[in-house]
């Protein structure tokens, strides 16, 4: 498992890896910026320019204050949303990462057709929804587990990351049903590898690399486990 991880790290300079990373980051920043601008405009449109307060009278500039509060709110939320949104966008292009890994390390494999874009987008959106939903639940549980909170974070995200990235790698060669069967046979090792991916999620900037590193790592893991089956 560690061998899969370090082999993936050794390929991080690949041009196709950089392209996927930059596409994911660019689309994420563009989306968050667009939402920020939209909320800035919406707050200015919905909130009246002045309020009349008892003993104070007319207070102006309320719409401007509300608009800038929306900007501050989105800046704070962006810190939380950057990683899952980037993971969702990057997920659309992770097939390119798997193809780059196979071209370099498994050139003997027969070529395969690319996964339909609609199916890839659907899976990425579904994964994003699951990640956000489960982590919101975990966030509530953090208040009850105290010092065990980081372990809960790693365990939850380790399961999700392992499931997503192994499925992505396996489905290219085995189809959805075959990928499910192989993942079920090696669920423990896949969860453990996913936890390895989850640990750096709390490290700013480094966490943005996880989708690409994860896709490459689990492509190696898939080929290793599939060869044993």
């Amino acid at each position: 498992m560690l061998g899969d991880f370090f082999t993936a790290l050794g390929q991080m300079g690949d041009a196709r890896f950089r392209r996927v990373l930059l596409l994911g980051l660019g689309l994420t920043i563009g989306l968050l910026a667009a939402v920020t601008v939209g909320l800035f405009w919406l707050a200015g449109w919905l909130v009246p320019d002045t309020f009349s307060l008892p003993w104070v009278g007319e207070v102006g500039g309320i719409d401007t204050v509300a608009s800038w509060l929306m900007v501050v709110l989105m800046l704070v939320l962006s810190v939380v949303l950057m990683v899952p949104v980037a993971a969702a966008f990057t997920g659309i292009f992770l097939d390119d990462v798997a193809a780059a890994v196979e071209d370099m390390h498994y050139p003997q494999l027969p070529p395969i057709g690319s996964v339909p874009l609609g199916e890839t987008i659907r899976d990425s959106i579904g994964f994003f929804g699951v990640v956000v939903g489960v982590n919101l639940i975990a966030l509530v549980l953090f208040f009850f587990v105290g010092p065990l909170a980081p372990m809960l974070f790693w365990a939850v995200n380790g399961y999700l990351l392992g499931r997503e990235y192994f499925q992505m790698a396996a489905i290219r060669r085995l189809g959805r049903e075959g990928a499910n069967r192989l993942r079920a046979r090696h669920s423990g090792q896949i969860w453990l590898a996913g936890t390895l991916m989850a640990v750096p999620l709390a490290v700013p900037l480094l966490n943005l690399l996880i989708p690409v590193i994860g896709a490459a790592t689990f492509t190696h893991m898939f080929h290793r486990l599939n060869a044993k089956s």
Side-chain angles (χ1 to χ4, degrees), residues 1 6-7 11 19 41 43-44 61 78 81 84 91 95 103 132 150 153 173 176 183 196 198-199 208-210 227 229:
M1 183 179 66
F6 287 116
T7 304
Q11 199 177 344
R19 175 181 174 274
W41 175 84
S78 293
L81 294 174
D95 189 60
D103 288 346
V132 172
F153 175 84
R173 295 285 172 181
R176 194 171 296 275
R183 179 169 56 83
L196 178 65
V199 171
L208 298 175
L209 301 176
I210 294 306
S229 300

Side-chain angles (χ1 to χ4, degrees), residues 169-200:
I171 203 170
R172 301 174 71 251
R173 295 285 172 181
L174 302 180
R176 194 171 296 275
E177 291 185 5
N180 288 337
R181 288 195 297 270
L182 185 63
R183 179 169 56 83
R185 286 199 297 271
H186 302 282
S187 57
Q189 187 175 164
I190 292 169
W191 191 346
L192 188 60
T195 303
L196 178 65
M197 297 294 106
V199 171

Side-chain angles (χ1 to χ4, degrees), residues 35-160:
V35 171
T36 301
V37 171
L39 289 176
F40 180 89
W41 175 84
L42 188 63
W45 180 61
L46 292 176
V47 177
D49 181 46
T50 60
F51 276 118
S52 181
L53 298 177
W55 303 294
V56 176
E58 293 289 327
V59 178
I62 303 300
D63 55 342
T64 301
V65 172
S67 294
W68 283 106
L69 283 176
M70 287 297 101
V71 173
V72 173
L73 175 63
M74 276 306 301
L75 289 175
V76 174
L77 288 177
S78 293
V79 176
V80 179
L81 294 174
M82 177 68 76
V83 172
V85 174
F89 274 128
T90 306
I92 299 173
F93 310 103
L94 288 184
D95 189 60
D96 292 344
V97 174
V101 169
E102 291 183 345
D103 288 346
M104 175 175 285
H105 297 278
Y106 310 95
Q108 76 282 2
L109 293 174
I112 59 173
S114 59
V115 179
L117 181 60
E119 185 175 339
T120 301
I121 294 175
R122 185 198 66 190
D123 289 344
S124 296
I125 293 174
F127 177 58
F128 172 73
V130 171
V131 168
V132 172
V134 172
N135 277 280
L136 286 176
I137 296 172
L139 184 63
V140 175
L141 295 177
F142 284 168
F143 292 102
F144 301 97
V145 298
L148 297 178
M151 298 179 69
L152 176 62
F153 175 84
W154 295 333
V156 169
N157 284 284
Y159 171 77
L160 293 171

Side-chain angles (χ1 to χ4, degrees), residues 4-10 12 17 20-21 90 94 97 101 165 196-197 200 206-220:
D4 300 330
F5 175 70
F6 287 116
T7 304
L9 280 182
M12 282 303 293
F17 280 31
V20 170
L21 178 62
T90 306
L94 288 184
V97 174
V101 169
Y165 293 137
L196 178 65
M197 297 294 106
L206 180 60
N207 51 20
L208 298 175
L209 301 176
I210 294 306
V212 174
I213 297 175
T217 298
F218 279 93
T219 299
H220 288 295

